[in-house]
Amino acid sequence: MNRIRSLALPIAVTLTAGALSALAAGTAQAADVNVARNGGFESGLANWSCTGGTGASVSSPVYAGSGALKATPAGQDNARCSQTVTVKPNSTYTLSTQVQGSYVYLGATGTGTQDVSTWTPGSGAGWQKLSTTFTTGPSTTQVTVYTHGWYGQPAYVVDEFSVFGPDGGGGTDPGPSVPGAPAGAAVSGQSANALTLSWNAVGSATGYHVYQDGVRVKTVTGGASTQITGLTASTSYSFQVSAYNAAGEGPKSAPVTGTTTGTDPGPGPGPAVPKHALTGYWQNFDNGATVQKISDVSAQYDIIAVSFADATTTPGAITFNLDSAGLGGYTVAQFKADIAAKKAAGKSVILSIGGEKGTISVNDSASANNLANSAYALMQEYGFTGIDIDLENGLNPTYMTQALRSLSSKVGSSLVITMAPQTIDMQSTQGGYFKTALNIKDILTVVNMQYYNSGSMNGCDGKVYSQGSVDFLTALACIQLEGGLDPSQVGIGVPASPSGAGSGYVSPTIVGNALDCLTRGTSCGSFKPSKTYPSLRGAMTWSTNWDAKAGSAWSNSVGPKVHGLP
C-alpha cells in the first residue's frame, strides 16, 4: 500500500576543530552531558519557570517516564517556560525536546553569539522532536533555554528536554537508576487463545518486558497492560513483568498465573466471497483521507482489508491495536459489532499484514507457527474472516506457505486469503510472492497486484508497458493468468484517487476497460490477450478512505462494473 517505509541511512560523524586538535595531541575529550535540570519533568516544575502560571506538571501524555510539562497560552501570554543552564564559553550545545501541540517553539537566549529558535506547526496528537544548536560566546557561562506556544493556540506538551554539550560546572541530573519490580500483576480477559496481563506502572520505567513461563515474549511501551495471544485452550501459563529504562532492566514482578478457557467456537465460518468481488483497504489511522468506521464502508466492497496488523517482539507473531483516538473515539466494541454486521451482510472483513508497523519475517517453522497462531487468535477475538499478505520487505515462500496452511487447518474452507504484491513481485513464477501464491493455490482467494507506485514493467508478450494505461493493467495481469493462477484468483489493484498513491492512478473508466478486455475481449488497448478470462475475480483499491474522500466515485463506478462481469 501507499505508506512510509524506514530507510537505513549512513551515520555521519562530525568532529569539531577543537576535538580534532585534541585527538592529534593524544588528549582525551570529556563526554558531552545534559546541562539542563529536570528535563524529563519527573520532579514537577523544579528548575523551571513558566510565565503567568501557565505551566503544569502532568502524568499524561508523557513521552517517557512519569511526567511532562503542559502549558496553556492565554491572551497575550504565549506560555513560555524556561530555565537557565550553566555552560562553557566557546562551546557548541545541542538543544532538543519532544513536543505535542500546535505552534510549539524551542530556543535559547543569552548565548553571547547568535540566539536560536525553531518551531513546528504541529497537527496530530503524536510526539514530534524539535532540535537546534547554539554556540556560546567567549565569556558566556549561562544561557536561558525555553519553550513556548503561540497566541490563541491550545495547550502544548513538552517532555525529555535536553541541552547536550560540555559540562559548564553547574551540575547535571543524576543518571537514572534501574527501576523496581512492577507490582499488582493480574490476568484478565481470558479466551481460548489469549489472556490480558496488566500491572501497576513504575514511575521511572521507559517500558516493560513480559515473560511467559520464564521466556521473554513481548516488550511493551506506552502502557501497563498487554494481550498475550497464540495460546492453547484450557492451559495455565505463568507470567512476570520487568521494567526497564536507560540504566537497564529491573527485577521481575512476582509471578501470576492465568488459564485460558476451553475450546472457543471461534467467529464461525465466514460468508462466501462472490464470484466477482471488489476489495478495499480500510485505514486504521488518519492520514488526511476520510476517517471511517467499518460501518461507513460502502456496500459495494465485498472484501474489506483492515490495515494493518502490528508486529510484535515474537518472530512472526502479529497483534492488532485499534487507533481509537485517531478514529474519533471508535471503540473496540463498536469495531467488533461493525465487523459482525458486515459479515451478516455477506461481506468479508480481513486483517492485512504489512505497513510501517507490521513488517514481519517468517523465515523458519517457529515464526510460521507464530504467525498462524496469532492470526487465528485475532480472528477469534475480532471476527475477521481471513488475512491479507501485503509485506513489501519480501517473503520466504517455504515458511509463508507453512504459516498459511497451518492457519487454513485451524479455520477451515471459509478462510479468505488475499495478497497484494508489487508489480516486480509478479514478473516471474520464481519470485517469492508468485511461488507462495502457487503453493497455496487450493486455498488462495485472490491476488490483487498493486498496479501503482511502479516503474515500467514487462507484459506477458515481452513488451514493456508504462503504468497508467489499460495495456499496463491487462498485459501484466496476463503474466499471472498464464503463469498458473486461476482467473478467479486475479484482481486489479489501483488507487481510489490521485491522493491514494505516489503514481499510477487511472480513472475508473480505464479500470472498467481493462476488466472488459480481460473478461470479454473488448475495450482493449494495443495489447489484446490471446483468450478471455470470464471468471476474473475483480478489482481492489487503496483505500476505502481515499474513495470516500473523493465522493465514492471509484466504488460507485468500478463496483457495478465488477459485479456485472460475466
Side-chain angles (χ1 to χ4, degrees), residues 196-211:
T196 297
L197 179 66
S198 61
W199 56 90
N200 296 339
V202 177
S204 60
T206 302
Y208 304 90
H209 296 311
V210 177
Y211 292 82

Side-chain angles (χ1 to χ4, degrees), residues 203 344 386 543 549:
S543 61
K549 181 81 169 182

